[in-house]
Amino acid sequence: MDRINTPLDSGADVSAGPTGAPAPVRRHAALVPIREIGPRYRERIAQHMLSLDERDRYLRFGYAANDAQIRRYVDGIDFGRDDVFGIFNRKLELIAVAHLAYPPDMVRGGFAEFGVSVAKHTRGRGYGARLFERAAIHAVNCGVKTLYIHALTENTAMLRIARKAGAHVEREGSESEAHLALPVASLRTRLSELLTERVARMDHWLKREAVLARSALALAQEIRDGVRERRHKSGS
């Protein structure tokens, strides 16, 4: 499995817990619909990743991944094992993606690995932090004990989010590892995730209907323009 590193925007607001204690998961004041996505979105995930520039690819994977390497990474996502979350804009374009991976060797120790990427033109809106928050809640409800992040040391935005969440960060030269101890699942965390997912699905449905409506209006306008043009030609 490719190592997951993370280019993030800097708009983080993740609550920090006491040193050495599991960090509470707090919802951000601004609602950002984040939906769990499955294998039918694989191509959209690929397009999102391929749109990253060389610098972002370097931060995401630890090297300047080329298109073929990104394709292999996306094709290798095991949706039956891992969890993927996405943020869509009003055009239903995937603008931010988080990958919560459960490699077999890590699962045995109660770990899950977090990685995320955010489209450059949407930076500064806190999407990276919200995706981290969403993944953490899901990990809690799945019984994960520790959320693990492997990032380049120069990826200060990711490490800042991890530290604000109460993670222990260890630096080893050009790379850093962050370990965030998670609380035990509760009725509150389960209801929070259920509500979050329902809101995201409703938001996605509304955006889809709006896209269809705009397409229908555009087609109707095209037909009207064609009718007018034919009438004009026949009249002349």
Side-chain angles (χ1 to χ4, degrees):
M1 176 178 174
D2 289 314
R3 183 180 64 215
I4 303 172
N5 293 295
T6 51
L8 285 171
D9 56 293
S10 60
D13 186 8
V14 181
S15 58
T19 303
V25 179
R26 184 179 65 191
R27 295 178 61 82
H28 198 280
L31 177 63
V32 178
I34 299 174
R35 182 180 177 183
E36 186 171 358
I37 55 180
R40 71 188 183 96
Y41 289 93
R42 195 184 298 273
E43 181 57 30
R44 293 202 196 185
I45 295 171
Q47 291 304 317
H48 164 75
M49 296 287 186
L50 291 169
S51 71
L52 300 176
D53 62 24
E54 184 176 350
R55 172 65 178 173
D56 287 344
R57 294 182 184 196
Y58 171 67
L59 292 175
R60 181 64 171 84
F61 297 101
Y63 59 93
N66 60 35
D67 290 358
Q69 290 167 324
I70 288 178
R71 283 285 182 183
R72 283 198 296 272
Y73 162 74
V74 176
D75 290 342
I77 296 176
D78 186 348
F79 288 94
R81 181 193 65 192
D82 298 347
D83 298 296
V84 181
F85 304 92
I87 297 176
F88 296 83
N89 64 13
R90 66 183 186 87
K91 297 179 181 179
L92 286 185
E93 296 168 337
L94 196 55
I95 57 176
V97 177
H99 183 185
L100 188 61
Y102 304 91
D105 58 330
M106 297 182 69
V107 170
R108 287 191 290 271
F111 284 74
E113 186 175 10
F114 173 80
V116 68
S117 57
V118 179
K120 188 179 292 293
H121 68 280
T122 64
R123 303 280 169 81
R125 304 178 188 179
Y127 289 164
R130 272 98 165 160
L131 282 164
F132 180 84
E133 194 174 300
R134 176 70 178 88
I137 292 176
H138 185 77
V140 165
N141 291 332
C142 288
V144 174
K145 297 178 181 178
T146 305
L147 197 58
Y148 170 79
I149 302 165
H150 192 163
L152 295 173
T153 299
E154 62 189 278
N155 195 344
T156 56
M158 177 70 256
L159 297 177
R160 181 165 56 250
I161 286 179
R163 287 191 177 97
K164 285 187 176 183
H168 174 66
V169 179
E170 296 180 355
R171 176 175 177 176
E172 297 182 4
S174 63
E175 299 181 356
S176 294
E177 294 182 355
H179 300 81
L180 176 65
L182 298 176
V184 177
S186 65
L187 178 62
R188 181 179 180 182
T189 61
R190 296 187 189 283
L191 289 177
S192 176
E193 182 173 21
L194 178 63
L195 177 60
T196 298
E197 184 63 22
R198 286 188 175 181
V199 168
R201 288 182 178 276
M202 176 58 71
D203 173 79
H204 190 273
W205 180 82
L206 291 173
K207 287 175 178 175
R208 185 184 63 186
E209 293 300 305
V211 168
L212 292 174
R214 287 195 294 269
S215 297
L217 288 174
L219 177 60
Q221 183 62 47
E222 184 178 345
I223 292 173
R224 285 196 296 269
D225 291 344
V227 171
R228 291 194 188 99
E229 184 177 355
R230 285 193 296 272
R231 285 177 177 175
H232 177 73
K233 289 181 178 179
S234 63
S236 60

